[in-house]
Every structure is written in C-alpha cells, then in structure tokens.
Amino acid sequence: GDSVTQTEGQVALSEEDFLTIHCNYSASGYPTLFWYVQYPGEGPQLLFRASRDKEKGSSRGFEATYDKGTTSFHLRKASVQESDSAVYYCALSGPLPNTNKVVFGTGTRLQVLP
Amino acid sequence: GPKVLQIPSHQIIDMGQMVTLNCDPVSNHLYFYWYKQILGQQMEFLVNFYNGKVMEKSKLFKDQFSVERPDGSYFTLKIQPTALEDSAVYFCASRTVSNERLFFGHGTKLSVL
C-alpha cells in the first residue's frame, strides 16, 4: 500500500539554522503530497501541498518540491525560528476524487533553541 | 479559519465499557475522518466516511468500532467494548468534496483503565 518515510525522528537546531527534513513516498501514479505541522495539544494543520511533478509548495518560509523521479518531497527552511518548534508530518493521498485516505509519515519533532 | 470541534477533550473509562467520541466538523464539509495517535507516535488512519457510508477503513478499525453521523449532527466514533490498547488521542478531520485539505480537531484523549 501507499506509504511515507521520514528519516529524521528528531531534529534540534539553533535559531537561524537551515532546516531539511527528508520525506520519501511510495505510491502509484501521482499522489498529492502534503506537509502538516502539529503543535502541542492540537491537531495537525496544513502547511502546504503539491500535486504535480516539479511543483513547489511553500508557506511561512517553508518549502518543498515534488520530485517524482526520486519520489521525494523534502521540507526546507533557510532560517528557523524558535516558534517553528513542532512536529512535522509528510503525508500523501490519492488525487481527487480518489482521496479516501491520507497517509501520514512517522513525523519529525523539530526543536529550535534560542 | 474553519474549525473542527471535538467533545470531550479527555475521557476516562474502564475496560469493557462503551465510549462515544463526538466531532462537530466544519459546516460545509462532507468527508469525515478519524485518526488514532498513541502518545509520541504517528497519526494512523482509522476510517473515512461520506454520504452516510464508510468509504475506506484500516486494519486498526476493529469490529468493536463504528461510525455514524445521524441527521447531520455530530460525526461519532463508538467503541464497544473498549480495550486497554484503545488508549490514545483520537483526531477527527473533515474536508470538502473538491479539496484534499484536511481540517483537524484538537483531539480527544481516551484513557482506558
């Protein structure tokens, strides 16, 4: 079945450091890819998504590019802030109308130290 | 922005009892989901519901689980009977027909003793 792999379980950075969180997926066709962020005590909320090869999604300084060749959707940010501390989930679903299930990766806990 | 409300935020029950988790989805959303998250672990898909029917469910959606949305009210997850391994945070999510974006509630923490 469809799956998402995030290799980093935890990342600790200092403010203004560069962030990369790796995401690779396994799915047939062209799934829609997402990055969700989860703050303590809340449900995940969408950062951004992409649905075509080479499409770049971005929000709040975070960005990722859909790469069908390497089946990847790595999250990057040039300069992290303490307020970015959260858990980040890469996810995928079938494109509309086949979007019955959104599959999440294992999540990456980002801690940004002041 | 649009909000999904989950009631209660925390529920403590004894093993073997029945529990109903309630979700008030975004008003114009027609697709509803339940996810399970054990502390510190990933979000795991349980079930997806549309037009009064379960569209897809995972292996985690045991026979003791059921979902419904009677007359457009709360979207509910019922577990009967509960087991110790059902202890987790359960997240409800909803979306429109034309957008894959899921809106999540804050979760209901279920503690089965």
Side-chain angles (χ1 to χ4, degrees), chain B residues 17-37:
Chain B
Q17 284 190 309
M18 181 194 77
V19 69
T20 300
L21 308 183
N22 298 297
C23 171
D24 188 9
V26 179
S27 60
N28 63 332
H29 288 189
L30 296 178
Y31 279 88
F32 313 115
Y33 299 73
W34 283 104
Y35 281 81
K36 178 182 180 181
Q37 186 176 45

Side-chain angles (χ1 to χ4, degrees), chain A residues 30-41:
Chain A
Y30 278 87
T32 299
L33 303 176
F34 309 83
W35 277 102
Y36 279 84
V37 58
Q38 185 178 26
Y39 299 100

Side-chain angles (χ1 to χ4, degrees), chain A residues 37 39 45-48 58-63 76-77 79 83-84 88, chain B residues 101:
Chain A
V37 58
Y39 299 100
Q45 54 186 271
L46 182 69
L47 255 185
F48 54 81
S58 64
S59 175
R60 307 187 222 167
F62 292 91
E63 61 180 41
R76 295 186 166 93
K77 186 174 186 182
S79 176
S83 58
D84 294 327
Y88 292 82
Chain B
R101 176 181 182 175

Side-chain angles (χ1 to χ4, degrees), chain A:
Chain A
D2 297 347
S3 66
V4 176
T5 301
Q6 292 178 240
T7 48
E8 296 93 355
Q10 293 194 76
V11 173
L13 297 172
S14 299
E15 279 196 322
E16 298 183 13
D17 279 353
F18 189 92
L19 169 71
T20 300
I21 299 176
H22 294 95
C23 171
N24 287 89
Y25 69 90
S26 173
S28 56
Y30 278 87
T32 299
L33 303 176
F34 309 83
W35 277 102
Y36 279 84
V37 58
Q38 185 178 26
Y39 299 100
E42 298 183 11
Q45 54 186 271
L46 182 69
L47 255 185
F48 54 81
R49 65 179 161 211
S51 53
R52 298 183 306 276
D53 191 21
K54 303 295 183 277
E55 181 179 354
K56 183 160 84 172
S58 64
S59 175
R60 307 187 222 167
F62 292 91
E63 61 180 41
T65 300
Y66 194 131
D67 190 332
K68 185 163 174 62
T70 58
T71 60
S72 66
F73 193 54
H74 304 317
L75 181 69
R76 295 186 166 93
K77 186 174 186 182
S79 176
V80 294
Q81 304 301 311
E82 193 177 358
S83 58
D84 294 327
S85 297
V87 179
Y88 292 82
Y89 290 97
C90 185
L92 69 79
S93 74
L96 289 171
N98 301 315
T99 312
N100 282 341
K101 182 166 76 171
V102 179
V103 176
F104 285 78
T106 48
T108 299
R109 184 175 301 275
L110 171 64
Q111 184 180 21
V112 181
L113 304 170

